[in-house]
mmCIF file with all atom_site columns, all heavy atoms in Angstrom:
data_model
loop_
_atom_site.group_PDB
_atom_site.id
_atom_site.type_symbol
_atom_site.label_atom_id
_atom_site.label_alt_id
_atom_site.label_comp_id
_atom_site.label_asym_id
_atom_site.label_entity_id
_atom_site.label_seq_id
_atom_site.pdbx_PDB_ins_code
_atom_site.Cartn_x
_atom_site.Cartn_y
_atom_site.Cartn_z
_atom_site.occupancy
_atom_site.B_iso_or_equiv
_atom_site.pdbx_formal_charge
_atom_site.auth_seq_id
_atom_site.auth_comp_id
_atom_site.auth_asym_id
_atom_site.auth_atom_id
_atom_site.pdbx_PDB_model_num
ATOM   1  N N   . ALA A 1 117 ? 12.717 -0.426 0.479  1.00 98.00 ? 1134 ALA A N   1
ATOM   2  C CA  . ALA A 1 117 ? 12.699 0.133  1.896  1.00 98.00 ? 1134 ALA A CA  1
ATOM   3  C C   . ALA A 1 117 ? 13.169 -0.899 3.008  1.00 98.00 ? 1134 ALA A C   1
ATOM   4  O O   . ALA A 1 117 ? 14.009 -0.441 3.787  1.00 98.00 ? 1134 ALA A O   1
ATOM   5  C CB  . ALA A 1 117 ? 11.371 0.711  2.193  1.00 98.00 ? 1134 ALA A CB  1
ATOM   6  N N   . ASN A 1 206 ? -4.460 -1.010 2.342  1.00 93.00 ? 1223 ASN A N   1
ATOM   7  C CA  . ASN A 1 206 ? -3.437 -0.163 2.845  1.00 93.00 ? 1223 ASN A CA  1
ATOM   8  C C   . ASN A 1 206 ? -3.456 -0.011 4.281  1.00 93.00 ? 1223 ASN A C   1
ATOM   9  O O   . ASN A 1 206 ? -2.463 0.008  5.023  1.00 93.00 ? 1223 ASN A O   1
ATOM   10 C CB  . ASN A 1 206 ? -3.618 1.169  2.102  1.00 93.00 ? 1223 ASN A CB  1
ATOM   11 C CG  . ASN A 1 206 ? -2.287 1.631  1.541  1.00 93.00 ? 1223 ASN A CG  1
ATOM   12 O OD1 . ASN A 1 206 ? -1.604 0.976  0.820  1.00 93.00 ? 1223 ASN A OD1 1
ATOM   13 N ND2 . ASN A 1 206 ? -1.898 2.760  2.009  1.00 93.00 ? 1223 ASN A ND2 1
ATOM   14 N N   . ILE A 1 209 ? -2.272 -2.904 6.176  1.00 95.00 ? 1226 ILE A N   1
ATOM   15 C CA  . ILE A 1 209 ? -0.810 -3.029 6.194  1.00 95.00 ? 1226 ILE A CA  1
ATOM   16 C C   . ILE A 1 209 ? -0.156 -2.079 7.159  1.00 95.00 ? 1226 ILE A C   1
ATOM   17 O O   . ILE A 1 209 ? 0.688  -2.488 8.051  1.00 95.00 ? 1226 ILE A O   1
ATOM   18 C CB  . ILE A 1 209 ? -0.204 -2.873 4.670  1.00 95.00 ? 1226 ILE A CB  1
ATOM   19 C CG1 . ILE A 1 209 ? -0.669 -4.012 3.840  1.00 95.00 ? 1226 ILE A CG1 1
ATOM   20 C CG2 . ILE A 1 209 ? 1.246  -2.836 4.693  1.00 95.00 ? 1226 ILE A CG2 1
ATOM   21 C CD1 . ILE A 1 209 ? -0.322 -3.905 2.382  1.00 95.00 ? 1226 ILE A CD1 1
ATOM   22 N N   . VAL A 1 485 ? 4.424  2.210  11.310 1.00 95.00 ? 1502 VAL A N   1
ATOM   23 C CA  . VAL A 1 485 ? 5.436  2.383  10.313 1.00 95.00 ? 1502 VAL A CA  1
ATOM   24 C C   . VAL A 1 485 ? 5.392  3.784  9.806  1.00 95.00 ? 1502 VAL A C   1
ATOM   25 O O   . VAL A 1 485 ? 6.334  4.373  9.266  1.00 95.00 ? 1502 VAL A O   1
ATOM   26 C CB  . VAL A 1 485 ? 5.230  1.395  9.179  1.00 95.00 ? 1502 VAL A CB  1
ATOM   27 C CG1 . VAL A 1 485 ? 3.884  1.559  8.450  1.00 95.00 ? 1502 VAL A CG1 1
ATOM   28 C CG2 . VAL A 1 485 ? 6.388  1.250  8.292  1.00 95.00 ? 1502 VAL A CG2 1
HETATM 29 C C1  . STR B 2 .   ? 2.566  1.513  3.620  1.00 89.83 ? 3071 STR B C1  1
HETATM 30 C C2  . STR B 2 .   ? 1.417  0.646  3.402  1.00 89.83 ? 3071 STR B C2  1
HETATM 31 C C3  . STR B 2 .   ? 1.702  -0.202 1.967  1.00 89.83 ? 3071 STR B C3  1
HETATM 32 O O1  . STR B 2 .   ? 0.726  -0.620 1.427  1.00 89.83 ? 3071 STR B O1  1
HETATM 33 C C4  . STR B 2 .   ? 2.999  -0.379 1.581  1.00 89.83 ? 3071 STR B C4  1
HETATM 34 C C5  . STR B 2 .   ? 4.120  0.163  2.268  1.00 89.83 ? 3071 STR B C5  1
HETATM 35 C C6  . STR B 2 .   ? 5.467  -0.141 1.870  1.00 89.83 ? 3071 STR B C6  1
HETATM 36 C C7  . STR B 2 .   ? 6.436  1.060  1.745  1.00 89.83 ? 3071 STR B C7  1
HETATM 37 C C8  . STR B 2 .   ? 6.399  1.656  3.087  1.00 89.83 ? 3071 STR B C8  1
HETATM 38 C C9  . STR B 2 .   ? 4.977  2.228  3.481  1.00 89.83 ? 3071 STR B C9  1
HETATM 39 C C10 . STR B 2 .   ? 3.925  0.978  3.562  1.00 89.83 ? 3071 STR B C10 1
HETATM 40 C C11 . STR B 2 .   ? 4.896  3.010  4.754  1.00 89.83 ? 3071 STR B C11 1
HETATM 41 C C12 . STR B 2 .   ? 5.927  4.107  4.739  1.00 89.83 ? 3071 STR B C12 1
HETATM 42 C C13 . STR B 2 .   ? 7.257  3.727  4.435  1.00 89.83 ? 3071 STR B C13 1
HETATM 43 C C14 . STR B 2 .   ? 7.167  2.932  3.073  1.00 89.83 ? 3071 STR B C14 1
HETATM 44 C C15 . STR B 2 .   ? 8.677  2.876  2.754  1.00 89.83 ? 3071 STR B C15 1
HETATM 45 C C16 . STR B 2 .   ? 9.296  4.179  3.164  1.00 89.83 ? 3071 STR B C16 1
HETATM 46 C C17 . STR B 2 .   ? 8.326  4.871  4.073  1.00 89.83 ? 3071 STR B C17 1
HETATM 47 C C18 . STR B 2 .   ? 7.821  2.891  5.488  1.00 89.83 ? 3071 STR B C18 1
HETATM 48 C C19 . STR B 2 .   ? 4.263  0.092  4.755  1.00 89.83 ? 3071 STR B C19 1
HETATM 49 C C20 . STR B 2 .   ? 8.893  5.580  5.250  1.00 89.83 ? 3071 STR B C20 1
HETATM 50 O O2  . STR B 2 .   ? 10.054 5.284  5.743  1.00 89.83 ? 3071 STR B O2  1
HETATM 51 C C21 . STR B 2 .   ? 8.057  6.551  5.909  1.00 89.83 ? 3071 STR B C21 1
#
Side-chain angles (χ1 to χ4, degrees):
N1223 223 59
I1226 293 176
V1502 69

